[in-house]
Amino acid sequence: MSSKYKKLFQNTILFSIGSMGSKFISLLLVVVFTHYLNPQEYGKVELISIMINLCLPFVSLSIYDAVLRFVMKGNEHNGSVLLNGLAVCGLVGLLFLAGSAVGILFFELDVSTLVIAAIIFAQSINLVFAQYARGTGRIKLYVINGLLTAILIFTIVSFLLSHIHMGIMGYFIGMVVAFTISNVVFFCFSGNVVEVLAKAPWDGALMKRMLLYSLPLIPNTLMFWVMNASDRLLIQTFLGLTANGYYAVANKIPVLLNTLSSIFIQAWQLSAIEESEQEDRNHFYSSVFNALASFMIIISAIILCFLKWGFGVALGSDFFEAWKFVPIQLFAIIFAGLSAFIGVIYAVQMRTNQVFITSFIGATLNVGLNLWLIPKIGLYGVAFATAISFFCVWMVRLIQTRKYVKIQMQYSVIIPAFIVLALQALCLYQVKIPELLTNTLSVSLILLINLRNIQFMTKNMIQKRRKSGLV
């Protein structure tokens, strides 16, 4: 088996450890919040967290994405790439901090504004370091940095809330301290970073190229935020708070599939860049794409098997009907994952402006379909609008990137698998049809259709584990 598949699988495992570990620590932090913050305060923390994530690409100019790509480009001085990334975050971040201070002094803004600005500044520096480690092949360092940051946030914030009783401000200050400590640890103990920066020549031309790469990614982030936020706002406008609650509950299940695909895309981005100049890249890209499609369809089919039972056991009767929107949302997540896979090709080819254009098409279509469908079919309209939008983004990207890489889709596998998955979903809405029979038959057919890709994935996993001494 080719080493490129082994490396992709190994990186996926490492990213899984880091992502799952960080998410578990985040869940523990929610427990702390619910003990020491009232619902109103917790709601404010959630709102501000969303705003921080939205502001981050703007304040940092998304330069951390350029750090990853240019470090992996191979013909640039790594030290200059890192220096430029830190310089952008430092300059823009300090201006943001200064603007927040002016707002507090002269425009009566809350003092928490300055602390939030400090969080964004420290987090942007941390992202630059993390992407530098990822781009230079030190994936373990990347994962350790993420876990260390999550542990620091949990420990410091928990202490400030439980022992100092600082409330929301304890959360803000804890975030700043955690990211700052993580940055210092990375700078001092990550090997040759100090030496690399000391020897790095200043390269203004490189800075310009990095910004031309990163700036189109800022509106791309905004577009996906608009797609998510517009759903919630339009549900609120047309259907009210109760419907928003239903949709939020239904969305929790597809998020699991989205998390798995996001972890894989992180690993895939590295492999796609590394193999971009190889003669067999079309075959490599195609085989991985088809394996990803099979994996997402199979996981979706398994989720549908336990969907109604899980909602009945885990949720109260008031929320049981929310299961009806999950099947459509699963299709949306599958299309989103496949479009994200194709979107990596734009990064490989340094065509990030095309990422923005395709995302803009998706966001515009999503809003338009929501406005048309919600008044007609309610929450089903939101789910269908999201699925159709991501499907269109996937198709546009697939066609547009053929001039760079020709992805050979296994139509004889993917189309029948999608049809069986759709039929399985439709059967869930028919009370008279036995669920056990239809679910068993559907999963069996999907596994049979995807047998070749299952063998491909299994072969990679077993050989990698044998090499590691695990079996």
Side-chain angles (χ1 to χ4, degrees):
M1 182 186 59
S2 174
S3 60
K4 65 183 74 174
Y5 295 108
K6 292 180 181 179
K7 189 171 184 180
L8 175 58
F9 178 72
Q10 181 182 26
N11 287 342
T12 302
I13 295 298
L14 288 172
F15 285 128
S16 299
I17 294 170
S19 180
M20 295 303 180
S22 298
K23 288 185 181 298
F24 177 71
I25 294 169
S26 298
L27 287 174
L28 292 179
L29 191 58
V30 171
V31 176
V32 175
F33 284 153
T34 55
H35 278 79
Y36 296 100
L37 298 177
N38 60 45
Q40 185 177 2
E41 290 173 325
Y42 179 59
K44 187 175 181 180
V45 165
E46 284 288 296
L47 179 61
I48 291 173
S49 296
I50 292 172
M51 296 308 298
I52 288 173
N53 290 330
L54 179 62
C55 290
L56 193 58
F58 290 90
V59 175
S60 64
L61 304 184
S62 206
I63 197 68
Y64 42 82
D65 288 313
V67 169
L68 171 65
R69 182 62 186 92
F70 279 78
V71 163
M72 294 196 69
K73 194 174 180 182
N75 58 350
E76 308 290 355
H77 192 292
N78 285 353
S80 297
V81 175
L82 178 59
L83 181 62
N84 285 349
L86 293 174
V88 169
C89 287
L91 178 60
V92 181
L94 289 173
L95 289 174
F96 189 53
L97 285 168
S100 301
V102 170
I104 292 170
L105 291 173
F106 298 102
F107 298 99
E108 299 183 352
L109 292 180
D110 192 274
V111 69
S112 62
T113 305
L114 183 61
V115 185
I116 294 170
I119 293 173
I120 296 172
F121 174 57
Q123 190 172 353
S124 65
I125 297 292
N126 190 265
L127 279 170
V128 168
F129 280 137
Q131 296 294 62
Y132 176 77
R134 187 176 163 203
T136 52
R138 290 180 284 182
I139 308 302
K140 291 181 181 178
L141 177 61
Y142 173 86
V143 171
I144 291 170
N145 175 71
L147 289 174
L148 174 63
T149 304
I151 292 170
L152 285 170
I153 291 172
F154 173 76
T155 305
I156 297 170
V157 170
S158 297
F159 176 78
L160 293 177
L161 290 179
S162 62
H163 291 78
I164 311 299
H165 304 292
M166 295 184 67
I168 293 179
M169 188 56 68
Y171 167 73
F172 294 151
I173 293 175
M175 290 280 285
V176 175
V177 174
F179 277 116
T180 302
I181 293 174
S182 181
N183 291 339
V184 171
V185 170
F186 191 101
F187 189 80
C188 296
F189 301 102
S190 61
N192 64 342
V193 169
V194 176
E195 181 182 351
V196 167
L197 285 174
K199 295 180 179 180
W202 174 256
D203 191 337
L206 174 62
M207 173 71 85
K208 182 179 179 180
R209 296 201 307 274
M210 289 177 67
L211 288 173
L212 287 174
Y213 177 91
S214 68
L215 289 176
L217 296 174
I218 300 174
N220 177 63
T221 302
L222 180 62
M223 288 301 102
F224 279 96
W225 183 85
V226 166
M227 287 183 72
N228 184 53
S230 65
D231 287 351
R232 303 303 173 88
L233 291 174
L234 291 173
I235 291 172
Q236 174 68 31
T237 301
F238 287 104
L239 305 174
L241 278 173
T242 302
N244 238 331
Y246 268 102
Y247 199 76
V249 169
N251 198 45
K252 298 299 181 184
I253 304 301
V255 162
L256 297 175
L257 181 61
N258 184 55
T259 299
L260 293 175
S261 66
S262 298
I263 290 170
F264 176 79
I265 293 299
Q266 290 183 69
W268 165 242
Q269 187 173 14
L270 300 183
S271 294
I273 295 173
E274 289 174 351
E275 301 298 324
S276 61
E277 303 299 327
Q278 301 301 315
E279 292 183 1
D280 66 339
R281 65 175 182 177
N282 288 347
H283 174 73
F284 176 57
Y285 281 41
S286 298
S287 60
V288 177
F289 173 84
N290 289 310
L292 174 64
S294 294
F295 173 78
M296 297 187 74
I297 292 171
I298 292 168
I299 296 299
S300 297
I302 294 172
I303 289 174
L304 290 181
C305 287
F306 300 97
L307 179 62
K308 292 172 74 172
W309 174 83
F311 267 65
V313 171
L315 303 178
S317 57
D318 290 341
F319 287 97
F320 176 74
E321 294 298 314
W323 74 264
K324 294 180 178 179
F325 313 110
V326 174
I328 309 168
Q329 290 174 316
L330 285 173
F331 276 91
I333 295 299
I334 294 173
F335 298 145
L338 297 179
S339 67
F341 180 97
I342 303 296
V344 170
I345 297 175
Y346 293 122
V348 172
Q349 299 296 325
M350 313 288 282
R351 304 285 183 180
T352 49
N353 60 316
Q354 298 300 320
V355 177
F356 163 65
I357 292 171
T358 54
S359 298
F360 180 79
I361 291 171
T364 304
L365 185 61
N366 184 68
V367 173
L369 287 172
N370 273 326
L371 289 171
W372 178 47
L373 292 175
I374 293 177
K376 295 179 180 295
I377 53 177
L379 286 178
Y380 288 107
V382 184
F384 277 117
T386 304
I388 293 170
S389 300
F390 277 121
F391 177 79
C392 291
V393 171
W394 171 33
M395 287 293 104
V396 170
R397 288 181 175 182
L398 188 64
I399 295 169
Q400 199 174 60
T401 56
R402 288 189 66 80
K403 55 188 169 186
Y404 309 122
V405 178
K406 290 181 173 60
I407 300 291
Q408 302 298 324
M409 286 179 55
Q410 295 175 341
Y411 292 104
S412 60
V413 173
I414 293 177
I415 293 176
F418 269 127
I419 291 173
V420 174
L421 185 66
L423 291 173
Q424 181 187 6
L426 287 172
C427 287
L428 290 177
Y429 299 94
Q430 305 299 319
V431 179
K432 296 182 180 180
I433 300 178
E435 286 184 33
L436 180 60
L437 176 62
T438 56
N439 285 330
T440 303
L441 182 61
S442 297
V443 172
S444 299
L445 281 173
I446 287 174
L447 290 174
L448 183 62
I449 292 169
N450 290 278
L451 183 60
R452 182 179 174 185
N453 288 330
I454 294 171
Q455 291 173 337
F456 169 79
M457 289 184 282
T458 305
K459 180 181 177 182
N460 279 272
M461 292 173 66
I462 292 175
Q463 291 195 20
K464 181 61 193 175
R465 292 178 69 189
R466 282 178 177 166
K467 186 178 178 182
S468 306
L470 296 175
V471 293

